[in-house]
Amino acid sequence: MQGFDNGAPEQKFARLGEGLSVTDGTTIEGYASYFGKADKGGDVVLQGAYGASLKVLASAGRRVKMLWQHDPAQPIGIWDEVREDERGLYVKGRLLSDVAKGREAVALIGAGAIDGLSIGYRTVRAQKNDKGQRLLSELELWEVSLVTFPMLQDARVGAKGDTPAGGEMRELAAIFEGATKLLACD
């Protein structure tokens, strides 16, 4: 199953908070994706979906990119570690405060204005289950971004010790983002 149109990568969203933290103002670590959890679009990433892609990147000496809002012209940091474990896709990296958007990200995360993560990828293999959900079994991972509106509620960022609030607003934002994408396809 092809997972994208016109060569554009797909995106999965998550929020920082549960399992994801920011320390020293610039170090981010936690989960950008969880296995077995359906996102707002009904997609479920299966365990092992990132393995082949991560091996290809490592063998080529390349890394998953850290971007601002999925904009390839705005890298804001470096993911030093990206790996799968039994829970999902674990990431650890550094926001670059020498870059303007990196400084902005540090400030926005610290204030609680930005708390989302999103993965940019291409679907290599997927199938539908009897609930109509897409089960993603192999993904080509391109990047993990800091974003305003994540789709997967559990993948998020927060300043250490913060508890994100406003679940209803996050749900509304995810619905708005989904509708915006549908309209863009017409």
Side-chain angles (χ1 to χ4, degrees):
M1 169 182 270
Q2 192 74 346
F4 62 102
D5 295 328
N6 302 324
E10 290 183 77
Q11 300 163 354
K12 288 267 162 268
F13 301 93
R15 287 206 182 272
L16 294 171
E18 179 187 296
L20 192 59
S21 64
V22 179
T23 55
D24 302 326
T26 60
T27 301
I28 298 174
E29 72 178 292
Y31 289 86
S33 174
Y34 287 97
F35 297 134
K37 293 191 177 193
D39 68 12
K40 294 287 184 186
D43 288 345
V44 178
V45 178
L46 302 178
Q47 190 167 5
Y50 301 104
S53 179
L54 294 175
K55 284 180 186 174
V56 167
L57 285 170
S59 68
R62 297 188 344 245
R63 296 182 187 199
V64 173
K65 304 299 183 194
M66 182 190 294
L67 301 179
W68 179 252
Q69 308 281 356
H70 294 294
D71 185 345
Q74 296 187 58
I76 58 168
I78 303 291
W79 292 117
D80 296 312
E81 185 177 353
V82 179
R83 64 177 164 76
E84 285 185 314
D85 65 17
E86 66 283 346
R87 292 179 70 192
L89 183 68
Y90 173 84
V91 295
K92 182 176 182 178
R94 300 167 277 132
L95 292 166
L96 299 177
S97 57
D98 291 341
V99 175
K101 282 291 181 189
R103 284 190 303 278
E104 185 176 329
V106 169
L108 290 169
I109 291 169
I114 293 285
D115 66 353
L117 286 181
S118 178
I119 58 172
Y121 64 95
R122 183 181 69 83
T123 299
V124 177
R125 280 189 304 186
Q127 61 186 17
K128 294 249 183 195
N129 66 12
D130 58 351
K131 297 177 186 176
Q133 297 172 315
R134 225 172 32 140
L135 304 177
L136 305 174
S137 56
E138 186 177 350
L139 301 174
E140 180 183 337
L141 183 63
W142 293 8
E143 51 95 5
V144 177
S145 284
L146 289 168
V147 296
T148 307
F149 299 117
M151 216 163 151
L152 181 60
Q153 298 266 344
D154 292 337
R156 46 182 152 180
V157 159
K160 197 154 186 140
D162 285 353
T163 303
E168 296 85 10
M169 289 303 293
R170 284 192 284 277
E171 287 181 24
L172 182 59
I175 291 167
F176 176 78
E177 175 137 52
T180 301
K181 287 182 182 179
L182 286 174
L183 291 172
C185 292
D186 290 334

